[in-house]
């Protein structure tokens, strides 16, 4: 069965500090991994996907198949990064996204 | 920039009543989805829809649920006889492409359904 685990419900960091959001997955094939972000009172929006290998808003994520992880990182957190972050997986199913429970990030000045 | 829209933003209904949640996907998108999020829980997949057919549905999507694309722009989720446990935020999403490797899904703002 496919599963996405985000072990941290809440991550509180100071502005300028590095931030890392953990995501582990369970899937027997080659998954496609995504990070979605939801700012306060806004819709879910795609932050990045592993196949594009881009850095968006200073965030990067590397798919580690050996550790079955797709951790999200940013070297210097900004106040505007405060949001809910969801890791999601797509496998063989027809477009189905499997979401993790989400991590609330709070960046304090 | 085009966006997925959903109406209403909040729906309150009595247990046993039928509700229809409406979505207008991005105009050139071909794949449509419904997800739900019960308060404090994960976002859960309900159903995907392409070419006027359900492509996949989850175990949550039982006989009380149905989806329809009644015209060229709307995509609806009907819950025939609502239960208390159907109270959740319902998100519609659409993508230009789909299939085993999903294209980027664009989400609507959600409809909060409250069943009393």
């Amino acid at each position: 069965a496919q599963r996405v685990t985000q072990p941290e419900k809440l991550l509180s960091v100071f502005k300028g500090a590095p931030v890392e959001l953990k995501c582990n997955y369970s899937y027997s094939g080659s998954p496609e991994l995504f990070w979605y972000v939801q700012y306060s009172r806004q819709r879910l929006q795609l932050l990045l996907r592993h196949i594009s290998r881009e850095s968006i808003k200073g965030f990067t994520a590397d798919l580690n198949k050996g550790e079955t992880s797709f951790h999200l990182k940013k070297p210097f957190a900004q106040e505007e990064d405060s949001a809910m972050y969801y890791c999601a997986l797509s496998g063989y199913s027809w477009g189905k996204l499997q979401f993790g429970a989400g991590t609330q990030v709070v960046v304090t000045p | 920039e085009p966006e997925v829209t959903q109406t209403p933003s909040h729906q309150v209904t009595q247990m046993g009543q039928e509700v229809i949640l409406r979505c207008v996907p991005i105009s050139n998108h071909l794949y449509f989805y419904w997800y739900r999020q019960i308060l404090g829980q994960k976002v859960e997949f309900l159903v995907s829809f392409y070419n006027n057919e359900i492509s996949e549905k989850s175990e949550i999507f039982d006989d009380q649920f149905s989806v329809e694309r009644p015209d060229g722009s709307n995509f609806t989720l009907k819950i025939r006889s609502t239960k208390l446990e159907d109270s959740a935020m319902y998100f519609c999403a659409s993508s230009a492409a789909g299939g085993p490797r999903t294209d980027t899904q664009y989400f609507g703002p959600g409809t909060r359904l409250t069943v009393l």
Side-chain angles (χ1 to χ4, degrees):
Chain A
Q2 57 189 63
R3 190 182 305 130
V4 177
T5 304
Q6 292 180 253
E8 303 128 335
K9 276 191 169 180
L10 173 66
L11 209 53
S12 186
V13 297
F14 287 108
K15 180 181 170 181
V19 60
E20 181 179 27
L21 287 75
K22 291 187 170 27
C23 173
N24 288 90
Y25 67 89
S26 165
Y27 186 68
S28 56
S30 291
E32 191 162 342
L33 277 298
F34 305 81
W35 277 99
Y36 276 81
V37 61
Q38 189 172 30
Y39 300 103
S40 180
R41 297 191 194 87
Q42 293 188 29
R43 64 190 67 206
L44 274 164
Q45 53 187 283
L46 180 69
L47 182 60
L48 52 80
R49 54 194 299 179
H50 88 270
I51 60 165
S52 63
R53 295 186 157 272
E54 313 179 83
S55 171
I56 306 288
K57 300 185 180 185
F59 285 97
T60 58
D62 288 315
L63 179 60
N64 185 322
K65 291 187 178 180
E67 294 183 1
T68 59
S69 69
F70 188 57
H71 303 329
L72 183 69
K73 300 176 187 179
K74 184 169 181 176
F76 307 105
Q78 303 300 313
E79 289 179 69
E80 55 264 30
D81 296 329
S82 295
M84 191 73 167
Y85 292 80
Y86 294 95
C87 182
L89 175 155
S90 178
Y92 293 110
S93 297
W94 196 270
K96 169 184 172 181
L97 283 174
Q98 178 99 24
F99 283 88
T103 297
Q104 179 74 49
V105 171
V106 176
V107 181
T108 50
Chain B
E1 188 176 322
E3 289 185 329
V4 176
T5 59
Q6 289 185 244
T7 52
S9 56
H10 191 188
Q11 173 95 46
V12 181
T13 190
Q14 295 290 324
M15 191 169 57
Q17 295 296 303
E18 174 182 288
V19 294
I20 297 176
L21 310 183
R22 300 179 196 280
C23 168
V24 179
I26 292 172
S27 64
N28 63 343
H29 284 185
L30 301 176
Y31 296 81
F32 314 111
Y33 315 86
W34 283 101
Y35 293 82
R36 80 171 185 191
Q37 186 175 31
I38 295 170
L39 189 63
Q41 298 187 23
K42 294 184 181 186
V43 176
E44 301 173 289
F45 169 81
L46 291 177
V47 66
S48 57
F49 190 85
Y50 168 69
N51 200 25
N52 278 318
E53 288 184 350
I54 289 175
S55 304
E56 186 179 358
K57 59 184 181 179
S58 71
E59 59 275 10
I60 303 167
F61 195 88
D62 61 22
D63 290 346
Q64 69 160 342
F65 290 93
S66 62
V67 288
E68 194 178 29
R69 189 152 161 82
D71 53 43
S73 58
N74 289 283
F75 178 52
T76 62
L77 174 69
K78 183 193 290 187
I79 309 175
R80 255 179 282 281
S81 177
T82 49
K83 306 183 188 112
L84 294 175
E85 54 265 36
D86 294 327
S87 294
M89 183 73 97
Y90 288 80
F91 296 104
C92 173
S94 70
S95 63
R101 286 292 184 257
T102 190
D103 195 3
T104 298
Q105 293 183 24
Y106 294 84
F107 283 77
T111 293
R112 179 163 297 287
L113 177 65
T114 302
V115 182
L116 302 176

